[in-house]
Amino acid sequence: MTVYFYRRDRAPATAPCLPPGLDLRVWRPAEDGLPRRGPKHGQNLVWWAFSRLGVFARPRFAEVSIWRGGRLLHRLIVTPRWRRFPFMDADDLQIGDLWTHPEVRGQGLARLAILEARRQAAGAAGRIWYLVEANNTVSVRLIESCGFRRVGVGRRTRPFGVRALGRFEIETPLP
Ligand SMILES: CC(C)(COP(=O)(O)OP(=O)(O)OC[C@H]1O[C@@H](n2cnc3c(N)ncnc32)[C@H](O)[C@@H]1OP(=O)(O)O)[C@@H](O)C(=O)NCCC(=O)NCCS
């Protein structure tokens, strides 16, 4: 599967203006400890363990989520460099694993969460990355509309046929 690599420099970002009734939550395992129970709890336990074990280049992993009442409407994660993303510098961060509840897609929630992720990342050196499969046209349009620039085309490797061991590699850097 062809993967597009997008990037933008960090810069101050304004706080997102959420529609009434929505809550924005940021969870940073290095500061907040164990994840709350609820959707994505299992995945977040893995990220918490990675954070505790020093898997990441820096203790800057974060989850940004948007809720209405007790219902998860959107979630993304911000990941420092680790072995899956060797093209990143130690100061870089990556926005990924975006998901918006199908009933509320197209209402700007992903864009708001990306803005919050950029705001969280501001103030430190480094750049922000975003990886997307080439055929995910919605995600491509989303990230381009957020001012990210395509800087490479590549793929995810599959050592011994095992996806989980794979790394993302840029095969064709773009000017
Ligand atoms: C990709 C995804 C997270 C977008 O979430 P969303 O909350 O609907 O996105 P937003 O409403 O914030 O859209 C922001 C921009 O994305 C683009 N976009 C969103 N939905 C689109 C659609 N159906 N068709 C084309 N472009 C679209 C537009 O540029 C839009 O800006 P605009 O409304 O000003 O034109 C959501 O579709 C999703 O969860 N998809 C399944 C999981 C996935 O593919 N994740 C991305 C992995 S890289």
Side-chain angles (χ1 to χ4, degrees), residues 84-104:
R84 187 174 289 171
F85 306 123
F87 56 89
M88 292 167 65
D89 288 343
D91 282 343
D92 291 349
L93 294 169
Q94 185 179 156
I95 295 173
D97 211 12
L98 282 81
W99 175 85
T100 300
H101 193 291
E103 287 175 14
V104 290

Side-chain angles (χ1 to χ4, degrees), residues 122-135:
R127 304 153 305 173
I128 307 181
W129 293 82
Y130 186 93
L131 273 52
V132 54
E133 291 182 351
N135 65 1

Side-chain angles (χ1 to χ4, degrees), residues 11-18 23-28 60 62-66 74 76-78 93 95 108-122 128 146:
T14 50
C17 183
L18 250 63
D23 295 322
L24 184 80
R25 295 183 194 164
V26 180
W27 169 65
R28 300 175 205 82
R60 300 270 313 218
E63 176 195 59
V64 175
S65 56
I66 299 175
H74 177 86
L76 61 75
I77 60 173
V78 180
L93 294 169
I95 295 173
L109 297 186
R111 201 203 303 278
L112 288 173
I114 289 171
L115 188 60
E116 176 61 20
R118 288 185 46 226
R119 195 173 75 90
Q120 295 283 329
I128 307 181
C146 291

Side-chain angles (χ1 to χ4, degrees), residues 32-102:
D32 303 328
L34 283 163
R36 291 191 196 190
R37 293 208 168 271
K40 310 290 182 183
H41 184 248
Q43 282 181 31
N44 284 346
L45 275 178
V46 174
W47 295 125
W48 172 83
F50 279 14
S51 179
R52 289 295 298 251
L53 292 169
V55 166
F56 300 120
R58 301 166 68 213
R60 300 270 313 218
F61 180 94
E63 176 195 59
V64 175
S65 56
I66 299 175
W67 299 73
R68 185 187 290 124
R71 194 171 186 213
L72 178 64
L73 299 184
H74 177 86
R75 172 189 186 257
L76 61 75
I77 60 173
V78 180
T79 323
R81 188 184 74 189
W82 64 295
R83 65 169 299 282
R84 187 174 289 171
F85 306 123
F87 56 89
M88 292 167 65
D89 288 343
D91 282 343
D92 291 349
L93 294 169
Q94 185 179 156
I95 295 173
D97 211 12
L98 282 81
W99 175 85
T100 300
H101 193 291

Side-chain angles (χ1 to χ4, degrees), residues 98-100 105-111 130 136 138-139 141-142:
L98 282 81
W99 175 85
T100 300
R105 286 183 186 169
Q107 297 181 19
L109 297 186
R111 201 203 303 278
Y130 186 93
N136 192 340
V138 172
S139 188
R141 283 190 55 178
L142 165 67

